[in-house]
Amino acid sequence: MMIHEPLRVTTPGGAYDVLIGPALLDELADQLAAQGVVGRLWLVSDPQVARLYGDRVLAALQRAGRHATLYQVPMGEHSKDLAVAAQLYDWLLAGGIERRDAILALGGGVIGDLAGFVAATVLRGVSLVQLPTNLQAMVDSAIGGKTGINHALGKNLIGAFHQPRLVLADTTTLATLPMRERSAGWAEVVKHGVIRDAGLFAWLERLDGAMLPDEPACSALLRRAVAVKVDVVNLDERETGERMLLNYGHTLGHAIEAEAGYGTLLHGEAVAIGMDLEAQIAERLGCFTAGDVARQRALLRQLGLGTSIPAGMTAAALLDRTLRDKKVQAGRVRWVLPHAIGSAAVHADVPDSLVQAVVAAACDPQSMTEQTRQ
Ligand code: NAD
Ligand code: GLY
């Protein structure tokens, strides 16, 4: 049931609707037909999501007379790997995939990025449909066309921009999401509020802790968060300007995620710590108030997210990792820093000493004790 108007992504790489609402998976066959997706359907998922929703989606498609098959890849970040992509190429090519067919990504960001990358490359590109089933993927990774896999030297280093033909987010799937995954997803929603939408941020503050609101508020809230992503992608598909803002919290977040060892912290958990640190950097530069740093920290905690750097990490190791960030230009990190709740900008001139001071203080157990007392 679609209870809101679709949001429309319009980029040089493709134009498509983002649909958000309860029980939308039951309408998938109709929506595919409406978008002119007429060929065979190749569904990719992980065992957890496939167990919960795979049969339902396959059955609905088959009832509508569509030829659809499912391939499951192992759960987790390790599936964003060339060897797993190769297994998908084998499955698709041995099965006789054709250019008019579509790959459907049913799951979280790992499935969306992997299946998207395969869709971008097999037969030089086939249609992709994103069916995000967790909060993170619904508000962020399913939208905007970034697809990719990891390399031993870093995350998402191999990939392509490949816009989907349709994004369909069925909010009823969120009922089965583990609490930790839900909190990790909230991090990206907070990010959207801080960089562009103060009203969204205030709406989150009014939630009952980390609980998703009931419908129709749930779809309305998600739609508002998605609207930030859609607006940004529409302005800057290839991340030459505005889209960099979506990396708020990610420069230090990625460093913390990698330093912890992939799979230890969830991506959103690391981004929450990154946002707290990057807000403190903005405060030290004088462009964000201490009150807003505290307000953001309180919201992250309300949504079940920690803001302390895990024990044992050093500022030197984290700062070294930030230099490998994809936004580094001529050896300078370009930091996305908030100026107010609802507004942020890219800063290329942040003194290393200032960043060092903030991160070192946060790595210091004494100052962490001070922080948790606040
Ligand atoms: P994920 O894809 O591993 O999903 C997390 C877990 O949620 C999985 O175990 C999955 O089985 C489970 N899950 C999903 N839906 C569920 C449901 N309805 N019920 C129960 N369990 C469910 O992790 P993620 O956080 O969604 O994605 C992280 C990946 O996304 C990273 O690789 C990151 O690089 C990528 N990413 C990409 C973009 C982009 O723009 N392409 C943006 C942000 C993140
Ligand atoms: N999640 C960052 C981006 O899509 O650009």
Side-chain angles (χ1 to χ4, degrees), residues 14-246:
Y16 53 95
D17 285 341
V18 181
L19 313 181
I20 304 152
L24 281 185
L25 281 176
D26 298 333
E27 295 176 22
L28 178 59
D30 290 343
Q31 294 294 347
L32 292 173
Q35 302 304 324
V37 179
V38 292
R40 286 188 295 169
L41 305 170
W42 305 82
L43 191 62
V44 180
S45 196
D46 70 32
Q48 178 152 302
V49 177
R51 180 177 54 77
L52 290 163
Y53 305 107
D55 285 345
R56 179 174 144 205
V57 172
L58 274 183
L61 291 171
Q62 286 160 356
R63 266 197 314 278
R66 302 298 302 257
H67 179 283
T69 47
L70 169 71
Y71 190 93
Q72 298 180 37
V73 302
M75 245 158 50
E77 191 67 30
H78 294 299
S79 276
K80 279 178 58 174
D81 184 85
L82 202 50
V84 181
Q87 289 167 16
L88 287 171
Y89 294 136
D90 291 347
W91 169 59
L92 295 165
L93 295 170
I97 187 168
E98 296 177 5
R99 289 293 297 276
R100 66 186 206 130
D101 293 355
I103 294 178
L104 277 52
L106 178 73
V110 165
I111 294 298
D113 281 13
L114 169 72
F117 175 69
V118 169
T121 45
V122 73
L123 304 181
R124 297 203 181 87
V126 299
S127 291
L128 169 67
V129 174
Q130 292 278 8
L131 305 174
T133 58
N134 69 12
L135 185 54
Q136 182 290 122
M138 286 185 192
V139 300
D140 192 358
S141 59
I143 304 148
K146 281 189 183 175
T147 73
I149 55 175
N150 301 327
H151 185 273
L153 291 179
K155 266 184 72 149
N156 300 326
L157 293 182
I158 299 164
F161 283 93
H162 188 62
Q163 298 293 345
R165 290 280 295 273
L166 172 71
V167 180
L168 183 144
D170 181 340
T171 54
T172 51
T173 61
L174 297 174
T176 54
L177 201 57
M179 269 163 42
R180 194 175 162 200
E181 293 289 347
R182 183 189 59 198
S183 286
W186 279 132
E188 306 289 359
V189 184
V190 173
K191 177 189 79 178
H192 288 180
V194 175
I195 62 170
R196 250 178 167 258
D197 187 346
L200 170 63
F201 189 98
W203 190 343
L204 294 173
E205 290 178 310
R206 293 193 299 274
L207 293 179
D208 179 6
M211 299 259 288
L212 279 155
D214 292 335
E215 293 292 358
C218 179
S219 292
L221 177 65
L222 265 51
R223 189 180 189 281
R224 181 135 179 189
V226 168
V228 171
K229 175 110 193 203
V230 168
D231 285 351
V232 168
V233 169
N234 284 349
L235 286 168
D236 175 25
E237 180 190 26
R238 294 288 171 133
E239 197 172 321
T240 55
E242 191 81 8
R243 190 162 180 171
M244 277 187 245
L245 297 184
L246 294 174

Side-chain angles (χ1 to χ4, degrees), residues 155 188 191 195 239 243-260 262 267-279 281 309 313 315-329 331-338 345-348 350 352 355 359:
K155 266 184 72 149
E188 306 289 359
K191 177 189 79 178
I195 62 170
E239 197 172 321
R243 190 162 180 171
M244 277 187 245
L245 297 184
L246 294 174
N247 291 307
Y248 174 49
H250 284 59
T251 302
L252 280 162
H254 278 152
I256 291 165
E257 190 180 359
E259 199 58 17
Y262 289 114
H267 176 69
E269 292 171 335
V271 167
I273 303 167
M275 285 195 286
D276 188 64
L277 292 167
E278 292 172 21
I281 293 170
I309 295 181
M313 291 191 189
L318 292 174
L319 296 182
D320 184 51
R321 285 193 185 267
T322 64
L323 292 174
R324 294 182 231 160
D325 190 272
K326 285 200 282 303
K327 292 180 301 305
V328 169
Q329 238 179 27
R332 301 291 312 161
V333 177
R334 288 179 295 170
W335 295 93
V336 178
L337 299 179
V346 177
H347 290 245
V350 180
D352 293 344
V355 175
V359 178

